[in-house]
Amino acid sequence: MKVTLRIWRQKNTESQGRMVPYEVDGVSDHMSFLEMLDLLNEQLTVAGEEPVAFDSDCREGVCGMCGVVINGVAHGRGQTTYQTTTCQLHMREFSDGDTITVEPWKAEPFPVLKDLVVDRSSFDRIIQAGGYISAPTGTAPDAHAVPVNKVDADHAFDNATCIGCGACVAACPNGSAMLFTSAKVTQLGLLPQGQPERWTRVLGMVAEHDAEGFGNCTNIGECTAVCPKGIPLESISQLNRDLFKAVTTRH
């Protein structure tokens, strides 16, 4: 299979970027999208050109590093594949002769470091603002030592699956990171261990979210549509309820 790639190339944060076309031949249907980019970089290296910089790590849909916008969709979407990570998107979702546009996450809090690589340390600072608990560390207690309502436990686990990839920000017209923030707030706020900091947590993390320059949430829903883990919009509702209570009770 042969495809044409239109890839965003940018030397560094200060430089101007541009779309550059490349033709990649010998693409197998069984390749993942990142393996196809590896093939392109092999061709560029042999030709003495600068390879395309992109993030990846586990290549198993777990770490959240492989974030790019493919044909206008965060992480990309094939004919049969949706809500996936870029590394789990395979070239069988495309056809011979296709032109594929590849861009980095585009949001002010995610400055482009090089080509398709962006700085997502703003997410780390949101976590540092409250995404922790004060439970003593040490030997893990038995799983049944602290009773947790099953509904709450299931919802907490669903939110804990967030891998912090940033697709929600890239897809949101407002550049909001509320789906990410709400997942990190909710996964702890629903559990007994997360209660001591529940109200200061939501105040601190939302304040840091806004300070980083992320936009406001207007419930458009693009975020959950592209989230690889399917974090639901109701997580944002849970965050808003906690935020309202924290503000009105002056925590």
Side-chain angles (χ1 to χ4, degrees):
M1 184 166 66
K2 183 177 182 180
V3 296
T4 299
L5 300 176
R6 296 179 64 249
I7 298 183
W8 182 263
R9 302 303 307 264
Q10 185 171 337
K11 186 176 180 180
N12 52 48
T13 304
E14 290 74 27
S15 64
Q16 292 290 325
R18 62 190 179 96
M19 302 299 294
V20 180
Y22 298 100
E23 289 190 352
V24 186
D25 203 355
V27 177
S28 168
D29 291 347
H30 302 295
M31 285 182 174
S32 71
F33 197 87
L34 294 188
E35 288 172 330
M36 182 273 297
L37 291 181
D38 288 336
L39 180 61
L40 167 64
N41 280 343
E42 289 176 7
Q43 296 176 4
L44 292 176
T45 300
V46 170
E49 299 181 38
E50 182 76 15
V52 176
F54 63 92
D55 275 328
S56 71
D57 189 4
C58 72
R59 300 204 177 196
E60 295 179 349
V62 176
C63 71
M65 290 293 293
C66 59
V68 294
V69 176
I70 303 170
N71 289 339
V73 179
H75 284 305
R77 178 176 298 173
Q79 300 174 16
T80 61
T81 304
Y82 62 98
Q83 286 191 324
T84 185
T85 54
T86 303
C87 64
Q88 295 292 289
L89 181 68
H90 288 81
M91 294 308 296
R92 57 179 168 267
E93 302 290 349
F94 301 92
S95 302
D96 185 33
D98 277 357
T99 296
I100 306 171
T101 300
V102 189
E103 304 168 90
W105 292 163
K106 289 188 176 180
E108 184 178 346
F110 289 163
V112 175
L113 298 178
K114 184 175 182 181
D115 296 339
L116 305 177
V117 180
V118 299
D119 181 358
R120 284 173 280 192
S121 59
S122 53
F123 272 10
D124 297 330
R125 291 188 288 272
I126 292 176
I127 293 294
Q128 291 168 1
Y132 51 83
I133 62 174
S134 59
T137 59
T139 304
D142 293 334
H144 62 280
V146 180
V148 182
N149 178 283
K150 187 178 188 305
V151 174
D152 289 341
D154 288 345
H155 286 167
F157 182 82
D158 289 343
N159 283 277
T161 60
C162 171
I163 56 178
C165 64
C168 51
V169 178
C172 179
N174 305 325
S176 174
M178 270 301 170
L179 192 67
F180 164 80
T181 306
S182 66
K184 300 305 180 183
V185 167
T186 302
Q187 74 180 70
L188 298 176
L190 291 176
L191 299 177
Q193 297 91 334
Q195 297 311 304
E197 296 90 9
R198 182 170 183 174
W199 313 117
T200 56
R201 176 184 301 115
V202 66
L203 289 171
M205 294 180 73
V206 170
E208 185 60 32
H209 169 280
D210 295 345
E212 293 291 339
F214 291 105
N216 294 325
C217 173
T218 50
N219 290 319
I220 294 175
E222 291 292 331
C223 53
T224 190
V226 300
C227 175
K229 301 303 177 181
I231 305 298
L233 274 179
E234 65 185 52
S235 297
I236 299 178
S237 299
Q238 180 65 53
L239 177 145
N240 287 333
R241 286 193 293 269
D242 279 11
L243 181 62
F244 179 79
K245 188 169 184 178
V247 170
T248 56
T249 56
R250 301 179 183 275
H251 283 281

